[in-house]
């Protein structure tokens, strides 16, 4: 059974919302994935963070539309993509959704841009289908233990509660807007970049039937993102590693990736946290150009 989500309440000028039907061989529990699409020119595919969706890039997309064809994906079960009981949310399953999008739409010479969890998937998808990927821009890659728990004491309590046996599903179902707001603001230096409109969109999606199960599974499977680092040395395309100066990653986490990807370009952005594309979208847009 597939759960239909609410109509997105947030719009981005110049893009429309489309669904890609389930891809044969994409793995158990695969359903439709939704993407935002607009613009013309060389393709750019955007992959979002933990607990967000395609609208996470609402400040970056307008900077790319004039000269790029943009696809912003809702990862499986997230945003307005189908929620399918029994689906896997481990890194290989989410990676297959990304490569499936590239193959289904026959995209070539793609610039993959991912933030947080999406950065890991951009890197591993480029390993899986290097013939389709021109370049990867990996922003604040979430490939280290701890992650969101480093955001704030509140985030540690909430995520630990969601993962707790017994009470976890109940806690995942109760996500008050002020709590969601406080956790997301923990990933920002400039707090005003989390607008009420965007927060309302995320909060509405969190009310979808079945979404608490997805949220719990995503948090539980974050270690698979850490394990995916073993694939990085296989990358054969140019890579930009981009970090907000105040990202949750530590200096040691960033240096570990620089060692794994010695040919990558490394950029550290002052005045930005984990959600860099909300705070400094112009930095990422300049890298694309």
């Amino acid at each position: 059974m597939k759960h239909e989500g609410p109509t997105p309440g947030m719009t981005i000028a110049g893009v429309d919302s489309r669904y890609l039907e389930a891809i044969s061989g994409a793995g158990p529990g695969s359903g439709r994935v939704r993407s935002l699409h607009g613009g013309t020119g060389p393709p750019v595919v955007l992959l979002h963070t933990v607990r967000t969706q395609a609208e996470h890039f609402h400040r970056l997309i307008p900077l790319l539309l004039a000269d790029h064809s943009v696809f912003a994906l809702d990862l499986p079960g997230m945003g307005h993509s189908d929620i399918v009981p029994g689906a896997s949310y481990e890194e290989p399953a989410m990676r297959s959704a990304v490569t499936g999008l590239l193959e289904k739409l026959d995209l070539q010479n793609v610039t993959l841009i991912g933030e947080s969890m999406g950065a890991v998937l951009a890197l591993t998808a480029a390993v899986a289908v290097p013939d389709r990927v021109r370049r990867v821009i990996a922003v604040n890659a979430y490939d280290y233990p701890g992650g969101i728990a480093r955001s704030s004491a509140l985030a540690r309590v909430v995520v630990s509660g969601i993962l707790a046996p017994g009470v976890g599903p109940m806690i995942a179902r109760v996500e008050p807007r002020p709590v969601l707001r406080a956790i997301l603001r923990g990933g920002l230096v400039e707090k005003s970049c989390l607008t009420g409109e965007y927060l309302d969109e995320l909060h509405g999606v969190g009310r979808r039937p079945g979404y608490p199960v997805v949220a719990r599974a995503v948090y539980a499977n974050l270690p698979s993102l850490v394990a995916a680092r073993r694939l990085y040395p296989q990358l054969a395309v140019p890579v930009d590693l981009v970090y907000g100066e105040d990202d949750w990653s530590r200096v040691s986490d960033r240096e570990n990736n620089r060692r794994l990807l010695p040919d990558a370009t490394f950029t550290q952005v002052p005045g930005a946290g984990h959600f860099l594309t909300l705070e400094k979208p112009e930095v990422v847009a300049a890298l694309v150009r």
Side-chain angles (χ1 to χ4, degrees):
M1 174 182 176
K2 297 173 182 176
H3 300 284
E4 299 294 339
T7 301
M10 186 175 186
T11 59
I12 302 171
V15 300
D16 57 27
S17 181
R18 303 180 183 180
Y19 282 88
L20 182 68
E21 292 301 321
I23 301 162
S24 177
S30 60
R32 299 181 309 162
V33 292
R34 172 247 192 181
S35 70
L36 301 178
H37 177 220
T40 57
V44 174
V45 173
L46 306 175
L47 306 173
H48 62 79
T49 76
V50 174
R51 187 46 189 100
T52 68
Q53 58 193 70
E55 281 81 3
H56 181 73
F57 298 105
H58 66 272
R59 297 192 66 205
L60 175 60
I61 289 172
L63 303 181
L64 301 176
L65 287 177
D67 45 16
H68 291 85
S69 184
V70 178
F71 301 83
L73 180 66
D74 278 349
L75 291 166
M78 292 169 247
H80 297 275
S81 288
D82 283 345
I83 296 173
V84 180
S88 171
Y89 296 99
E90 292 192 344
E91 184 276 330
M94 292 191 288
R95 184 201 322 160
S96 73
V98 178
T99 58
L101 174 81
L102 304 186
E103 292 167 349
K104 190 85 169 181
L105 299 179
D106 195 24
L107 299 180
Q108 306 285 343
N109 296 315
V110 175
T111 297
L112 282 176
I113 304 176
E115 184 163 59
S116 181
M117 172 174 65
V120 179
L121 298 177
L123 292 165
T124 59
V127 172
V129 288
D131 55 317
R132 293 185 179 273
V133 178
R134 185 180 73 87
R135 183 181 177 202
V136 174
I137 300 176
V139 182
N140 290 330
Y142 193 141
D143 52 11
Y144 47 86
I148 195 171
R150 300 177 185 175
S151 168
S152 65
L154 175 62
R156 287 193 293 275
V157 169
V158 171
V159 174
S160 296
I162 288 172
L163 293 174
V167 298
M170 181 181 67
I171 294 173
R173 282 195 298 273
V174 181
E175 187 183 52
R177 188 178 184 277
V179 171
L180 178 62
R181 177 176 180 267
I183 291 174
L184 294 175
R185 280 166 60 95
L188 295 167
V189 174
E190 180 50 63
K191 311 300 185 186
S192 65
C193 290
L194 180 65
T195 65
E197 181 185 26
Y198 179 44
L199 184 61
D200 287 344
E201 172 65 29
L202 295 177
H203 189 246
V205 162
R207 294 292 179 264
R208 292 178 63 191
Y211 193 86
V213 174
V214 175
R216 194 164 187 251
V218 169
Y219 287 129
N221 288 316
L222 290 177
S224 70
L225 299 178
V226 181
R229 294 178 69 248
R230 73 186 187 282
L231 299 176
Y232 292 0
Q234 299 177 35
L235 277 156
V237 302
V239 174
D240 289 274
L241 291 175
V242 184
Y243 288 96
E245 191 172 48
D246 294 296
D247 179 44
W248 301 330
S249 60
R250 299 186 175 115
V251 171
S252 58
D253 300 320
R254 303 174 198 188
E255 289 302 319
N256 285 339
N257 280 347
R258 291 183 76 173
R259 283 191 288 271
L260 286 174
L261 295 165
D263 296 326
T265 300
F266 182 87
T267 303
Q268 186 161 277
V269 183
H274 189 65
F275 301 126
L276 187 148
T277 55
L278 285 180
E279 296 185 287
K280 304 285 186 180
E282 68 280 0
V283 171
V284 180
L287 286 173
V288 176
R289 299 192 186 100

Coordinates of all heavy atoms in Angstrom, one line a residue, residues 134-196:
R134 N 29.3 14.1 -14.2 CA 30.4 14.9 -14.6 C 31.2 15.4 -13.4 O 32.4 15.6 -13.5 CB 29.8 16.2 -15.4 CG 30.9 17.1 -15.9 CD 30.3 18.3 -16.7 NE 29.7 19.2 -15.7 CZ 30.4 20.2 -15.1 NH1 31.7 20.4 -15.4 NH2 29.8 21.0 -14.3
R135 N 30.4 15.6 -12.3 CA 31.1 16.3 -11.1 C 30.2 16.1 -9.9 O 28.9 16.0 -10.0 CB 31.2 17.7 -11.4 CG 31.9 18.6 -10.4 CD 32.0 20.0 -10.9 NE 32.5 20.9 -9.9 CZ 32.3 22.2 -9.9 NH1 31.5 22.7 -10.8 NH2 32.9 23.0 -9.0
V136 N 30.8 16.1 -8.7 CA 30.0 16.0 -7.5 C 30.4 17.2 -6.6 O 31.6 17.5 -6.4 CB 30.4 14.7 -6.7 CG1 29.7 14.7 -5.3 CG2 29.9 13.5 -7.5
I137 N 29.4 17.9 -6.1 CA 29.6 18.9 -5.1 C 29.0 18.4 -3.8 O 27.7 18.3 -3.7 CB 29.0 20.3 -5.5 CG1 29.6 20.7 -6.8 CG2 29.1 21.3 -4.4 CD1 29.0 22.0 -7.3
A138 N 29.8 18.0 -2.8 CA 29.4 17.4 -1.6 C 29.4 18.4 -0.5 O 30.5 18.8 -0.1 CB 30.2 16.1 -1.3
V139 N 28.3 18.8 0.0 CA 28.2 19.8 1.0 C 27.9 19.2 2.4 O 26.9 18.6 2.6 CB 27.1 20.8 0.7 CG1 27.0 22.0 1.7 CG2 27.3 21.4 -0.7
N140 N 28.9 19.4 3.3 CA 28.7 19.0 4.7 C 28.3 17.5 4.8 O 27.3 17.1 5.4 CB 27.6 19.8 5.5 CG 28.1 21.2 5.7 OD1 29.3 21.5 5.9 ND2 27.2 22.2 5.7
A141 N 29.1 16.7 4.2 CA 28.8 15.2 4.1 C 28.6 14.7 5.5 O 29.4 14.8 6.4 CB 29.9 14.5 3.4
Y142 N 27.4 14.0 5.7 CA 27.1 13.4 7.0 C 27.6 11.9 7.0 O 26.8 11.0 6.8 CB 25.5 13.5 7.1 CG 25.0 13.2 8.5 CD1 23.9 13.9 8.9 CD2 25.4 12.2 9.3 CE1 23.3 13.7 10.1 CE2 24.9 12.0 10.5 CZ 23.8 12.8 11.0 OH 23.2 12.5 12.2
D143 N 28.9 11.8 7.2 CA 29.5 10.4 7.1 C 30.3 10.1 8.4 O 31.4 9.5 8.2 CB 30.3 10.3 5.8 CG 31.2 11.4 5.6 OD1 31.5 12.2 6.6 OD2 31.8 11.5 4.5
Y144 N 29.9 10.6 9.5 CA 30.6 10.4 10.8 C 29.6 10.1 11.9 O 28.4 10.5 11.8 CB 31.4 11.7 11.1 CG 30.5 13.0 10.9 CD1 29.7 13.4 12.0 CD2 30.5 13.6 9.7 CE1 28.9 14.5 11.8 CE2 29.7 14.7 9.6 CZ 28.9 15.2 10.6 OH 28.1 16.3 10.5
P145 N 30.0 9.4 12.9 CA 29.1 9.1 14.0 C 28.7 10.4 14.8 O 29.5 11.4 14.8 CB 29.9 8.2 14.9 CG 31.0 7.7 14.1 CD 31.3 8.8 13.1
G146 N 27.5 10.4 15.3 CA 27.1 11.6 16.1 C 26.1 12.5 15.4 O 25.0 12.6 15.8
G147 N 26.6 13.1 14.3 CA 25.8 13.9 13.5 C 24.9 14.9 14.2 O 25.3 15.8 14.9
I148 N 23.6 14.7 13.9 CA 22.6 15.6 14.4 C 22.6 15.7 15.9 O 22.2 16.8 16.5 CB 21.2 15.2 13.9 CG1 20.2 16.4 14.1 CG2 20.7 13.9 14.6 CD1 18.8 16.1 13.5
A149 N 23.1 14.7 16.6 CA 23.2 14.8 18.1 C 24.1 15.9 18.5 O 24.1 16.3 19.7 CB 23.6 13.4 18.6
R150 N 25.0 16.3 17.6 CA 25.9 17.4 18.0 C 25.3 18.8 17.8 O 25.9 19.8 18.2 CB 27.2 17.4 17.0 CG 28.0 16.1 17.1 CD 29.1 16.1 16.1 NE 29.9 14.8 16.1 CZ 30.8 14.6 15.3 NH1 31.2 15.5 14.4 NH2 31.5 13.4 15.3
S151 N 24.1 18.8 17.3 CA 23.4 20.1 17.1 C 23.0 20.8 18.4 O 23.3 22.0 18.5 CB 22.1 19.8 16.2 OG 21.3 20.9 16.2
S152 N 22.4 20.0 19.3 CA 22.0 20.6 20.5 C 21.6 19.5 21.5 O 21.4 18.4 21.1 CB 20.8 21.5 20.3 OG 19.7 20.8 19.8
A153 N 21.4 19.9 22.8 CA 21.0 18.9 23.8 C 19.6 18.4 23.4 O 19.2 17.3 23.6 CB 21.0 19.6 25.2
L154 N 18.7 19.3 22.9 CA 17.4 18.9 22.5 C 17.4 17.9 21.4 O 16.7 16.9 21.5 CB 16.6 20.2 22.1 CG 15.2 19.9 21.5 CD1 14.3 19.3 22.6 CD2 14.5 21.2 21.0
A155 N 18.3 18.1 20.4 CA 18.4 17.1 19.3 C 18.8 15.8 19.9 O 18.3 14.7 19.4 CB 19.3 17.6 18.3
R156 N 19.7 15.8 20.8 CA 20.2 14.5 21.4 C 19.1 13.8 22.1 O 18.9 12.5 21.9 CB 21.4 14.7 22.3 CG 22.7 15.1 21.7 CD 23.8 15.0 22.6 NE 23.8 16.1 23.7 CZ 24.2 17.3 23.5 NH1 24.7 17.7 22.4 NH2 24.1 18.2 24.5
V157 N 18.3 14.5 22.8 CA 17.2 13.9 23.6 C 16.1 13.3 22.6 O 15.6 12.2 22.7 CB 16.5 14.9 24.5 CG1 15.2 14.4 25.1 CG2 17.5 15.2 25.6
V158 N 15.7 14.1 21.6 CA 14.7 13.7 20.7 C 15.1 12.5 19.8 O 14.4 11.6 19.7 CB 14.3 14.9 19.8 CG1 13.3 14.5 18.7 CG2 13.6 16.0 20.6
V159 N 16.3 12.6 19.2 CA 16.7 11.5 18.4 C 16.9 10.2 19.2 O 16.5 9.1 18.8 CB 18.0 11.9 17.6 CG1 18.6 10.7 16.9 CG2 17.8 13.0 16.7
S160 N 17.5 10.3 20.4 CA 17.6 9.2 21.3 C 16.3 8.6 21.6 O 16.1 7.4 21.7 CB 18.4 9.5 22.5 OG 19.7 10.0 22.3
G161 N 15.3 9.5 21.8 CA 14.0 9.0 22.2 C 13.3 8.3 21.0 O 12.7 7.2 21.1
I162 N 13.5 8.8 19.8 CA 12.9 8.2 18.6 C 13.5 6.8 18.4 O 12.8 5.9 17.9 CB 13.2 9.1 17.3 CG1 12.3 10.3 17.4 CG2 12.9 8.3 16.0 CD1 12.6 11.4 16.3
L163 N 14.8 6.6 18.7 CA 15.4 5.3 18.5 C 15.2 4.3 19.6 O 15.5 3.2 19.5 CB 16.9 5.5 18.3 CG 17.3 6.3 17.0 CD1 18.8 6.6 17.0 CD2 16.9 5.5 15.7
A164 N 14.7 4.8 20.7 CA 14.5 4.0 21.9 C 13.5 2.9 21.6 O 12.5 3.1 21.0 CB 14.1 4.8 23.1
P165 N 13.8 1.6 22.1 CA 12.8 0.6 21.9 C 11.5 0.8 22.7 O 11.6 1.5 23.8 CB 13.5 -0.7 22.4 CG 14.7 -0.2 23.3 CD 15.0 1.2 22.8
G166 N 10.4 0.4 22.2 CA 9.2 0.6 22.9 C 8.5 1.9 22.7 O 7.5 2.0 22.0
V167 N 9.1 3.0 23.2 CA 8.5 4.3 23.2 C 8.9 5.1 21.9 O 8.3 6.1 21.6 CB 8.9 5.2 24.4 CG1 8.4 4.5 25.7 CG2 10.4 5.4 24.4
G168 N 9.9 4.6 21.2 CA 10.4 5.3 20.0 C 9.4 5.6 19.0 O 9.3 6.8 18.5
P169 N 8.5 4.7 18.5 CA 7.5 5.0 17.5 C 6.5 6.1 18.0 O 6.1 6.9 17.2 CB 6.8 3.7 17.3 CG 7.8 2.6 17.7 CD 8.6 3.2 18.8
M170 N 6.2 6.1 19.3 CA 5.3 7.1 19.8 C 5.9 8.5 19.8 O 5.3 9.5 19.4 CB 4.9 6.7 21.2 CG 3.9 7.8 21.9 SD 3.5 7.3 23.6 CE 5.1 7.6 24.4
I171 N 7.2 8.5 20.2 CA 7.9 9.8 20.1 C 8.0 10.3 18.7 O 7.9 11.5 18.4 CB 9.3 9.7 20.8 CG1 9.1 9.4 22.3 CG2 10.1 10.9 20.6 CD1 10.4 9.1 23.0
A172 N 8.3 9.4 17.8 CA 8.4 9.8 16.4 C 7.1 10.4 15.8 O 7.1 11.2 14.9 CB 8.9 8.6 15.5
R173 N 6.0 9.9 16.3 CA 4.7 10.4 15.9 C 4.4 11.8 16.4 O 3.6 12.6 15.8 CB 3.6 9.5 16.3 CG 3.4 8.2 15.5 CD 2.1 7.5 15.7 NE 1.9 7.1 17.1 CZ 2.4 5.9 17.6 NH1 3.0 5.1 16.7 NH2 2.2 5.6 18.8
V174 N 5.0 12.2 17.5 CA 4.7 13.5 18.1 C 5.9 14.4 17.8 O 7.0 14.3 18.4 CB 4.5 13.4 19.6 CG1 4.2 14.7 20.2 CG2 3.4 12.4 19.9
E175 N 5.8 15.3 16.9 CA 6.8 16.2 16.5 C 6.3 17.6 16.5 O 5.9 18.2 15.5 CB 7.4 15.8 15.1 CG 8.6 16.6 14.7 CD 9.0 16.3 13.3 OE1 8.2 16.4 12.4 OE2 10.2 16.0 13.1
P176 N 6.2 18.2 17.7 CA 5.6 19.6 17.7 C 6.5 20.6 16.9 O 7.7 20.5 16.8 CB 5.8 20.0 19.2 CG 5.9 18.7 19.9 CD 6.6 17.7 19.0
R177 N 5.8 21.5 16.3 CA 6.5 22.5 15.4 C 7.6 23.2 16.1 O 8.7 23.4 15.5 CB 5.4 23.4 14.8 CG 5.9 24.4 13.7 CD 4.8 25.3 13.3 NE 5.2 26.1 12.2 CZ 5.9 27.3 12.3 NH1 6.2 27.7 13.5 NH2 6.2 28.0 11.3
P178 N 7.4 23.6 17.4 CA 8.5 24.3 18.0 C 9.7 23.4 18.2 O 10.9 23.9 18.2 CB 7.9 24.7 19.4 CG 6.4 24.8 19.1 CD 6.2 23.7 18.2
V179 N 9.5 22.1 18.4 CA 10.7 21.2 18.6 C 11.4 21.1 17.3 O 12.6 21.1 17.2 CB 10.2 19.9 19.1 CG1 11.3 18.8 19.1 CG2 9.7 20.0 20.6
L180 N 10.6 20.9 16.2 CA 11.2 20.7 14.9 C 12.0 22.0 14.5 O 13.2 22.0 14.0 CB 10.2 20.5 13.8 CG 10.6 20.4 12.3 CD1 11.6 19.2 12.2 CD2 9.4 20.2 11.4
R181 N 11.4 23.1 14.8 CA 12.1 24.4 14.6 C 13.4 24.5 15.3 O 14.4 24.9 14.8 CB 11.2 25.6 15.0 CG 11.7 27.0 14.8 CD 10.7 28.0 15.1 NE 11.2 29.4 15.0 CZ 11.7 30.1 15.9 NH1 11.8 29.5 17.2 NH2 12.1 31.3 15.7
A182 N 13.4 24.2 16.6 CA 14.6 24.3 17.4 C 15.7 23.4 16.9 O 16.9 23.8 16.9 CB 14.3 24.0 18.9
I183 N 15.3 22.1 16.5 CA 16.4 21.2 16.1 C 17.0 21.7 14.8 O 18.2 21.7 14.6 CB 15.7 19.8 15.9 CG1 15.4 19.2 17.3 CG2 16.7 18.9 15.1 CD1 14.6 17.9 17.2
L184 N 16.2 22.2 13.8 CA 16.7 22.6 12.5 C 17.5 23.9 12.7 O 18.5 24.1 12.0 CB 15.6 22.8 11.5 CG 14.8 21.6 11.1 CD1 13.6 21.9 10.2 CD2 15.7 20.6 10.4
R185 N 17.1 24.8 13.6 CA 17.9 26.0 13.8 C 19.3 25.7 14.4 O 20.2 26.5 14.3 CB 17.1 26.9 14.8 CG 16.0 27.7 14.1 CD 15.1 28.4 15.1 NE 15.7 29.3 16.0 CZ 15.8 30.6 15.8 NH1 15.3 31.1 14.7 NH2 16.4 31.4 16.7
G186 N 19.4 24.5 15.0 CA 20.7 24.1 15.5 C 21.7 23.8 14.4 O 22.9 23.7 14.7
G187 N 21.2 23.7 13.1 CA 22.1 23.6 12.0 C 22.4 24.8 11.2 O 23.0 24.8 10.1
L188 N 22.0 26.0 11.8 CA 22.2 27.3 11.2 C 22.9 28.2 12.0 O 22.8 28.3 13.2 CB 20.8 27.9 10.9 CG 19.9 27.1 9.9 CD1 18.4 27.7 10.0 CD2 20.4 27.2 8.5
V189 N 23.8 29.1 11.4 CA 24.4 30.2 12.0 C 23.4 31.4 11.9 O 23.1 32.0 13.0 CB 25.7 30.6 11.3 CG1 26.3 31.9 11.9 CG2 26.7 29.5 11.5
E190 N 22.8 31.6 10.8 CA 21.8 32.7 10.6 C 20.4 32.0 10.7 O 19.9 31.4 9.7 CB 22.0 33.3 9.2 CG 21.0 34.4 8.9 CD 20.9 35.4 10.0 OE1 21.9 36.1 10.3 OE2 19.8 35.5 10.6
K191 N 19.9 32.2 11.9 CA 18.6 31.4 12.2 C 17.4 31.9 11.3 O 16.5 31.1 11.1 CB 18.2 31.7 13.7 CG 19.4 31.4 14.7 CD 19.9 30.0 14.6 CE 21.0 29.8 15.7 NZ 21.6 28.5 15.6
S192 N 17.5 33.1 10.8 CA 16.3 33.6 10.0 C 16.2 32.9 8.7 O 15.2 33.0 8.0 CB 16.5 35.1 9.8 OG 17.6 35.4 9.0
C193 N 17.2 32.1 8.3 CA 17.1 31.3 7.0 C 16.1 30.2 7.1 O 15.8 29.7 6.0 CB 18.5 30.8 6.6 SG 19.7 32.1 6.2
L194 N 15.7 29.8 8.3 CA 14.6 28.8 8.4 C 13.3 29.6 8.5 O 12.9 30.1 9.5 CB 14.8 28.0 9.7 CG 13.7 26.9 9.9 CD1 13.7 25.9 8.8 CD2 13.9 26.3 11.3
T195 N 12.7 29.7 7.3 CA 11.4 30.5 7.2 C 10.2 29.8 7.7 O 10.2 28.5 7.8 CB 11.2 31.0 5.8 OG1 10.9 29.8 5.0 CG2 12.4 31.7 5.2
G196 N 9.2 30.5 8.1 CA 8.0 29.9 8.6 C 7.3 29.0 7.5 O 6.8 28.0 7.7

